[in-house]
């Protein structure tokens, strides 16, 4: 989550529907959350279960301002699963956990309002 846009930012340039389909956004359930003291910005290291087809993937998420580590396990979140992995210190972040900035700029996780199967794709 490195692209924090203010709510008064205009919409991005138009894209084709096929461009949207290239971004694979899936639902997963957080199965493990650890502190990430070596990260430059405060973050957690997450393990997220995206179901049988994708499996468990790791993510670094800068969500410490609004979430305690022990309330994350069992929570469903949305993530981009088809970006190349990013090395963050000694940690390899394999998916981009998605969120929105609140009024103070802290990240609020993007999640379904009802449970859906892990691996479900956004459309």
């Amino acid at each position: 989550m490195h692209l924090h846009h203010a709510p008064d930012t205009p919409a991005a340039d138009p894209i084709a529907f096929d461009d949207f389909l290239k971004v694979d956004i899936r639902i997963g359930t957080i199965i493990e959350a650890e502190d990430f003291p070596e990260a430059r910005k405060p973050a957690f290291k997450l393990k997220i279960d995206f179901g049988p087809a994708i499996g468990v993937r790791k993510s670094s998420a800068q969500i410490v301002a609004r979430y305690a580590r022990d309330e994350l396990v069992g929570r469903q979140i949305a993530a981009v699963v088809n970006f190349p992995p990013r090395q963050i210190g000694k940690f390899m972040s394999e998916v981009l956990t998605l969120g929105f900035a609140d009024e103070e700029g802290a990240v609020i996780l993007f999640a379904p309002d009802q449970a859906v199967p892990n691996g479900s794709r956004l459309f």
Side-chain angles (χ1 to χ4, degrees), residues 58-73:
K58 297 183 294 185
S59 184
S60 168
Q62 295 170 11
I63 56 174
V64 300
R66 294 289 180 265
Y67 300 94
R69 195 187 65 195
D70 61 4
E71 67 177 323
L72 291 170
V73 172

Side-chain angles (χ1 to χ4, degrees), residues 8 12 21 27 39 61 65 75 77 99-100 119 122:
D8 56 358
L21 293 178
I27 289 297
R75 183 184 290 268
I77 55 86
F100 295 95
L122 180 75

Side-chain angles (χ1 to χ4, degrees), residues 24-122:
D24 192 351
I25 297 172
R26 304 284 184 120
I27 289 297
T29 299
I30 298 171
I31 59 171
E32 199 173 292
E34 296 179 5
D35 292 326
F36 193 0
E38 29 330 349
R40 277 178 312 168
K41 294 181 179 170
F44 291 125
K45 293 190 278 193
L46 305 177
K47 282 189 182 169
I48 307 162
D49 182 359
F50 291 97
I54 295 173
V56 175
R57 299 284 174 93
K58 297 183 294 185
S59 184
S60 168
Q62 295 170 11
I63 56 174
V64 300
R66 294 289 180 265
Y67 300 94
R69 195 187 65 195
D70 61 4
E71 67 177 323
L72 291 170
V73 172
R75 183 184 290 268
Q76 284 197 307
I77 55 86
V80 177
V81 299
N82 66 330
F83 283 146
R86 289 182 61 223
Q87 188 79 37
I88 302 172
K90 294 179 180 156
F91 184 75
M92 186 64 77
S93 189
E94 300 170 315
V95 300
L96 178 68
T97 302
L98 298 175
F100 295 95
D102 67 11
E103 289 184 357
E104 280 90 50
V107 177
I108 304 301
L109 291 167
F110 185 40
D113 64 1
Q114 295 183 34
V116 296
N118 287 336
S120 294
R121 185 169 178 173
L122 180 75

